[in-house]
Amino acid sequence: MTKLLEATNLGKNFSQHIAVSDINIHLCRGEVLGFLGPNGAGKSTTMKMLSGNLAPTHGQILINGIDLLEQPKSAKVHMGYLPETPPLYSELTVREFLTFCGRLKQLTKQSLQSAVDKVIERCGLGDVQHRLIGQLSKGFQQRVGIAQAIVHHPAVVILDEPTSGLDPIQIREIRHLIREVADEHSVILSTHILPEVQMLCDRVQIIAHGALLFSDTIDALSTHMHASSVQVQLANAPTVDELSAIDGVVAIQTIADSTFRLHYQPENDPTEQLVSQAVTKGWQLRQLIADTHSLEDVFMKIVQREDASKDA
Amino acid sequence: MLNLARNELYRLFLSPLAWVILALSQALLAYLFLSHLDYFVQIQSQIAAIPSAPGVTEMIVAPLLGNAAIILLLISPLITMRLMAEERRNQSLPLLTSSPLSAADVIIGKFLGSFAFLLILLLMILLMPLSLLLGSNIDLMQLASGALGLLLLISSFMAIGLFLSSLTRQPAIAAIATFSLLFFLWIVDWAGQSGHDDAGWLGWLSLLKHFEPLLLGELYSADVAYYVIVTVTFLLLAIRKLDNERLTG
């Protein structure tokens, strides 16, 4: 697979403070890479470096095989970037703005109009194309921001927290749009929202305190996410002893009168047993939730694993 | 780069600011022009008898362009303040810096855009003295020299304003700083005029001192060089500043 973006040993120090250290990122054609981390982990700093807005202290960035630091002009042609705050001129109309962006990104006169038409259609901006950007809702402004990043059909699209500050419906629409963008471009997406990564990305990298902790496929992350416990609510609850007699259950935690959390060995899932017993013994099952770890838990788990492997 | 300049100019005209500036400065100068003209018509018969009396160009055109310079000094900060500072405040600078443009392209593009605006203003001002051609002969070469002076003055105003605008994210601060610096450079030769011979270098620094000969139709390469040096220096400083931001964050 051709690597469209490759960053090696990327690091950035702000005087004494180390913001990002030794991060390696690569992105293949047609891939969506999720860049996950809590606030302040160095996500935006990394995104800024990848987009050429911030020079790294050390490391190398290749976009489409062109060194971003040596030949910024020719490398940036292959890249579209949406920062955290979409960079828009509120006094222009959507169409004017996108035409300007197309020219900025060195589209030729012949291809400019068709490129702008196409991006307006793709981003669902047809109805608002003659309205001023300043009057649009935040969701539409975000769309214009994405349109700006893809108008010149770049190989790599870098989106920095594209759904922050939007309402749930807008978030869904923007995610849908990103999914569509991913059909034609390789995308790097930074976010602190885990479900977003699970929905959109093929591969995920987790960063915390400026260091890369985890880099694998989304499936591998899911196994990390899977906690070995299940929460169950039974209207006609049996005693704790009866529950612990179920095969595989190692511990029981009583949350409320009829709500329990059953812990089990990862290789020995008792859920099936639990359900069949609930039916035969008339426990009246109301709720059964497989616990998943939150992003913070996954971080903790991955951090702990890192520490453990260091000790070993 | 030219695209950026064009967009800059276009956005200027989308705001009422540009129209208001054009209209009001034109109105002010038209009033001054008419009062100069009126005065000239009054005393024309008296000075006609004097040999080598000042002509219409010295009496009307030169003072008009001198006044135009003052007005340009006042409005330039308003034009340049938003160039970079507003871009910063709206956080729209990444659009330009992540485009295939170098820092020099961005700065020069912005400079050309604002320069083009003042060029339009300058052309409108020049229409007034040119209208005298209908009823009188004017010294076109002296007018051209004065116009060149204003052109050079504008370019140094724009470069200074652009640099100061790149330092801050508050347009108002950029405007005040630009105005103060321009005004300081304007009056700095007053110290030089107060009788100290050793203060001559202060006069050399003055924007005004280099403009006066041009107004009288005296074209010295040193004066032209002064404005070119000022413009290039401040543009380089602005480019340096923008590039430095990328390096240090």
Side-chain angles (χ1 to χ4, degrees), chain A:
Chain A
M1 276 199 283
T2 40
K3 282 182 182 167
L4 291 183
L5 183 141
E6 196 172 9
T8 39
N9 294 329
L10 210 54
K12 178 73 192 172
N13 306 343
F14 293 113
S15 60
Q16 293 301 310
H17 172 68
I18 299 170
V20 173
S21 66
D22 285 326
I23 285 191
N24 294 300
I25 298 170
H26 64 93
L27 183 70
C28 299
R29 191 175 290 282
E31 203 177 31
V32 182
L33 172 67
F35 204 66
L36 199 60
N39 290 332
K43 289 193 302 281
S44 286
T45 308
T46 312
M47 296 292 118
K48 277 185 195 157
M49 286 195 285
L50 293 179
S51 64
N53 278 294
L54 190 64
T57 314
H58 52 84
Q60 189 193 35
I61 303 168
L62 296 177
I63 291 180
N64 223 351
I66 305 167
D67 194 317
L68 180 66
L69 302 169
E70 305 264 315
Q71 298 164 281
K73 275 192 181 184
S74 31
K76 282 175 181 175
V77 175
H78 302 287
M79 180 205 72
Y81 172 53
L82 173 66
E84 263 180 286
T85 325
L88 306 171
Y89 294 127
S90 50
E91 65 268 41
L92 296 185
T93 68
V94 172
R95 176 169 275 278
E96 281 169 350
F97 176 71
L98 291 176
T99 310
F100 167 63
C101 292
R103 282 206 203 98
L104 265 188
K105 314 231 158 137
Q106 299 183 348
L107 285 176
T108 56
K109 264 202 182 109
Q110 296 83 6
S111 59
L112 184 65
Q113 276 315 312
S114 63
V116 171
D117 284 335
K118 198 170 157 224
V119 81
I120 284 179
E121 192 209 308
R122 282 182 69 190
C123 297
L125 292 166
D127 293 336
V128 296
Q129 57 173 309
H130 297 299
R131 283 181 56 190
L132 294 181
I133 290 175
Q135 295 174 349
L136 296 180
S137 70
K138 200 145 188 274
F140 269 111
Q141 290 190 350
Q142 196 72 25
R143 282 175 190 230
V144 178
I146 293 177
Q148 163 273 124
I150 61 175
V151 64
H152 55 304
H153 215 94
V156 180
V157 180
I158 300 171
L159 305 173
D160 195 354
E161 307 216 356
T163 58
S164 68
L166 301 178
D167 73 31
I169 297 170
Q170 290 171 332
I171 288 181
R172 210 178 57 191
E173 287 171 355
I174 293 293
R175 282 182 187 162
H176 188 72
L177 178 58
I178 294 172
R179 194 66 255 181
E180 270 173 28
V181 169
D183 291 341
E184 290 188 37
H185 310 266
S186 302
V187 178
I188 296 186
L189 177 81
S190 95
T191 180
H192 59 271
I193 307 163
L194 190 59
E196 195 160 281
V197 172
Q198 288 174 310
M199 268 181 64
L200 295 171
C201 302
D202 307 312
R203 221 152 44 76
V204 61
Q205 301 200 319
I206 293 180
I207 179 176
H209 308 299
L212 205 57
L213 294 183
F214 178 89
S215 171
D216 213 327
T217 61
I218 198 77
D219 296 332
L221 181 69
S222 302
T223 58
H224 277 283
M225 301 266 317
H226 202 63
S228 45
S229 68
V230 58
Q231 193 179 320
V232 60
Q233 190 184 0
L234 305 161
N236 180 20
T239 61
V240 173
D241 289 342
E242 259 182 284
L243 282 175
S244 48
I246 298 171
D247 228 10
V249 175
V250 288
I252 292 186
Q253 187 188 348
T254 312
I255 299 169
D257 276 352
S258 55
T259 313
F260 306 91
R261 174 168 288 131
L262 311 185
H263 295 270
Y264 54 87
Q265 299 286 340
E267 63 275 8
N268 202 354
D269 193 335
T271 313
E272 223 167 292
Q273 282 270 344
L274 175 71
V275 175
S276 64
Q277 291 205 21
V279 173
T280 51
K281 296 184 182 171
W283 291 344
Q284 296 182 25
L285 183 64
R286 288 280 178 272
Q287 205 176 41
L288 182 69
I289 303 165
D291 283 338
T292 51
H293 285 304
S294 69
L295 182 55
E296 288 302 321
D297 296 334
V298 177
F299 281 135
M300 293 313 293
K301 214 169 155 185
I302 290 169
V303 172
Q304 279 162 6
R305 196 188 56 185
E306 293 277 306
D307 289 347
S309 67
K310 256 181 227 161
D311 292 342

Side-chain angles (χ1 to χ4, degrees), chain A residues 12 14 51-55 69 72-73 76-77 79 81 83 85-89 91-92 96-97 100-101 103-106 148, chain B residues 3-4 6-8 10-11 14 82 86-87 90-102 105 110 245-249:
Chain A
K12 178 73 192 172
F14 293 113
S51 64
N53 278 294
L54 190 64
L69 302 169
K73 275 192 181 184
K76 282 175 181 175
V77 175
M79 180 205 72
Y81 172 53
T85 325
L88 306 171
Y89 294 127
E91 65 268 41
L92 296 185
E96 281 169 350
F97 176 71
F100 167 63
C101 292
R103 282 206 203 98
L104 265 188
K105 314 231 158 137
Q106 299 183 348
Q148 163 273 124
Chain B
N3 172 36
L4 189 57
R6 189 166 72 176
N7 179 57
E8 211 48 60
Y10 179 69
R11 281 173 51 220
L14 283 179
R82 37 178 298 292
E86 199 178 64
E87 201 91 49
N90 293 342
Q91 308 197 13
S92 51
L93 205 53
L95 177 68
L96 305 179
T97 48
S98 55
S99 295
L101 293 173
S102 65
D105 290 338
K110 294 226 162 225
E245 227 159 90
R246 190 180 64 85
L247 295 173
T248 56

